[in-house]
């Protein structure tokens, strides 16, 4: 992205009414995109809100939230979690950021809408399956490195959100014990609900443990994982948090274990050629994008103690970074 365009966009976003307008436009664009490709955004969110047909029938208000959600939230919330200030900001055009029901109920449809256009329209991976294809492309990179050595038995998914990345890991490594960590208990409540209602992979041997914690300080035991994965999390982090999480991943891994990050590729042509107004919309919803784009992952991984990471492009605009903790 060129520096002049970038500073112009940042200047525009400092003007509050313009920033609000950009957020509003970004959300509108996303819902429209979803519905044109067959992701029925409003209906899906309404069904999730109601959680069961009985509630939907009893409630005349389509925006009513089944009170079971609040019970699930209370059960999952770890009261000792302190939210870092960078996390309590607005993300993805939601004023409440990741800490609310609306973002939690819409994560899934939003992911499918956003990822529908990763591949060109004439590519079979484009469209409604784009999100799944993105995860497949990541897991192909994981498998090509990991299965040659040892299939991971214990996996931690940092920034698990509503579970899309966690369920995908379970499908790829069905015999692993998997823990999903996230700072948003709202997202974890949706993940748990989805897990209870989805068809488990046949070979899955255990249910997923959902942990409300920060990825920089998970509270999980040292050396308790063979694979730590952070899928689409790092573009949401300021530099200091990214460094802390890479150090925490190192602590969590057994010697020889791997840390994998899959996220946007700052070097991809998509971002370099992005028209300034689209960039404005993107940045208005992703407050730490500049910091993420500027971060030298190679350096941060090696400073944390990992062997030099390998970096592989797994989609036209995503990359996978994999670092191994040295053997003893
Ligand atoms: C874009 S979502 C990605 C979710 C998921 N991994 C996926 O692949 O769809 C990023 C997630 O990271 C979580 N997150 C961001 N910063 C975090 C932190 N410091 N600790 C734990 N979770 C964090 C957010 O709450 C959100 O659920």
């Amino acid at each position: 992205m060129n520096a002049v365009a970038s500073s112009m966009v940042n200047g525009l976003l400092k003007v509050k009414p313009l920033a609000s307008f950009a957020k509003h436009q970004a959300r509108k664009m996303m819902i429209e995109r979803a519905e044109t490709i067959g992701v029925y955004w409003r209906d899906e969110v309404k069904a999730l809100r109601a959680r069961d047909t009985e509630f939907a029938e009893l409630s005349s208000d389509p925006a009513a939230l089944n009170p079971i959600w609040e019970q699930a939230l209370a059960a999952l919330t770890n009261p000792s979690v302190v939210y870092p200030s960078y996390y309590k900001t607005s993300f993805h055009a939601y004023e409440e950021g990741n800490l609310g029901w609306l973002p939690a109920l819409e994560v899934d449809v939003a992911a499918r809408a956003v990822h529908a256009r990763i591949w060109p329209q004439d590519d079979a991976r484009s469209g409604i399956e784009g999100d799944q294809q993105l995860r497949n492309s990541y897991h192909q990179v994981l498998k090509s490195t990991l299965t040659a050595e040892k299939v991971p038995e214990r996996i931690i998914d940092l920034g698990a959100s509503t579970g899309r990345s966690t369920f995908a890991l379970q499908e790829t490594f069905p015999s692993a014990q998997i823990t999903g960590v996230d700072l948003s208990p709202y997202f974890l409540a949706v993940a748990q609900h989805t897990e209870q209602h989805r068809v488990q992979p046949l070979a899955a041997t255990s249910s997923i443990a959902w942990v409300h914690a920060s990825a920089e300080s998970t509270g999980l035991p040292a050396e308790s994982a063979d694979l730590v994965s952070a899928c689409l999390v790092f573009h949401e982090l300021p530099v200091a948090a990214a460094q802390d999480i890479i150090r925490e991943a190192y602590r969590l891994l057994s010697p020889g274990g791997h840390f994998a990050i899959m996220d946007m590729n700052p070097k991809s042509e998509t971002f370099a050629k992005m028209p300034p107004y689209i960039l404005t919309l993107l940045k208005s919803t992703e407050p730490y994008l500049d910091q993420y784009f500027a971060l030298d992952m190679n350096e941060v991984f090696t400073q944390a103690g990992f062997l030099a990471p390998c970096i592989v492009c797994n989609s036209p605009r995503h990359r996978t970074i994999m670092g191994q903790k040295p053997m003893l």
Side-chain angles (χ1 to χ4, degrees):
M1 147 193 354
N2 92 41
V4 180
S6 178
S7 72
M8 199 178 82
V9 165
N10 287 337
L12 287 175
L13 288 176
K14 286 197 184 113
V15 184
K16 247 197 155 185
L18 277 183
S20 312
F21 178 74
K23 282 180 194 170
H24 175 78
Q25 286 302 104
R27 177 174 168 78
K28 194 165 157 264
M29 230 168 76
M30 207 147 69
I31 296 178
E32 281 167 7
R33 177 189 293 182
E35 300 201 332
T36 58
I37 59 157
V39 175
Y40 299 109
W41 185 298
R42 292 175 186 86
D43 286 351
E44 282 197 37
V45 172
K46 194 173 147 199
L48 206 49
R49 245 175 212 292
R51 245 178 112 126
D52 61 44
T53 46
E54 198 183 334
F55 181 84
E57 279 158 17
L58 288 175
S59 168
S60 53
D61 176 4
L65 189 74
N66 189 328
I68 297 175
W69 280 118
E70 295 294 347
Q71 291 165 24
L73 181 72
L76 274 159
T77 301
N78 174 357
S80 63
V81 164
V82 178
Y83 296 103
S85 57
Y86 72 82
Y87 188 78
K88 291 190 287 184
T89 189
S90 153
F91 283 100
H92 309 141
Y94 299 104
E95 278 313 313
E96 66 274 56
N98 293 324
L99 294 168
W101 285 119
L102 187 63
L105 299 174
E106 293 189 343
V107 163
D108 216 76
V109 282
R112 281 180 283 143
V114 168
H115 296 147
R117 295 201 184 161
I118 294 174
W119 280 275
Q121 251 179 335
D122 56 358
D123 189 304
R125 291 167 291 186
S126 160
I128 198 164
E129 289 302 319
D131 181 77
Q132 193 53 51
Q133 294 292 344
L134 176 63
R135 296 176 195 285
N136 292 349
S137 69
Y138 170 42
H139 287 199
Q140 264 164 23
V141 179
L142 287 184
K143 279 196 290 186
S144 65
T145 305
L146 297 177
T147 41
E149 295 173 18
K150 181 175 165 268
V151 176
E153 289 166 7
R154 301 160 306 161
I155 301 176
I156 298 173
D157 184 26
L158 298 177
S161 184
T162 55
R164 284 188 84 74
S165 51
T166 329
F167 302 138
L169 284 165
Q170 192 183 47
E171 273 148 31
T172 302
F173 302 109
S175 59
Q177 283 179 341
I178 306 184
T179 303
V181 175
D182 205 279
L183 255 178
S184 172
Y186 298 87
F187 289 7
L188 291 176
V190 175
Q192 194 177 55
H193 168 74
T194 309
E195 186 189 14
Q196 285 158 2
H197 292 84
R198 74 192 266 271
V199 180
Q200 302 275 341
L202 269 184
T205 47
S206 55
S207 56
I208 294 165
W210 303 106
V211 174
H212 178 214
S214 76
E216 41 275 74
S217 178
T218 60
L220 298 171
E223 303 193 0
S224 59
D226 309 308
L227 169 66
V228 175
S229 170
C231 183
L232 304 169
V233 179
F234 272 70
H235 70 276
E236 289 192 6
L237 302 170
V239 168
Q243 290 166 329
D244 289 346
I245 292 173
I246 293 172
R247 279 193 286 270
E248 174 69 350
Y250 187 89
R251 186 189 72 81
L252 290 170
L253 285 166
S254 293
H258 289 83
F259 180 39
I261 294 177
M262 196 280 279
D263 215 314
M264 295 180 207
N265 180 3
K267 295 201 173 125
S268 109
E269 280 204 347
T270 314
F271 298 113
K273 290 185 177 163
M274 200 169 255
Y277 85 96
I278 296 282
L279 194 59
T280 310
L281 294 183
L282 182 61
K283 285 192 171 190
S284 71
T285 69
E286 300 288 3
Y288 305 111
L289 206 58
D290 281 338
Q291 293 193 46
Y292 167 71
F293 276 11
L295 192 63
D296 180 344
M297 286 292 187
N298 219 357
E299 192 179 303
V300 188
F301 266 70
T302 42
Q303 272 171 1
F306 286 102
L307 301 174
C310 72
I311 303 183
V312 178
C313 297
N314 59 290
S315 97
R317 55 180 150 111
H318 295 86
R319 67 179 178 190
T320 297
I321 307 170
M322 279 189 82
Q324 188 176 24
K325 181 168 177 171
M327 299 282 187
L328 285 177

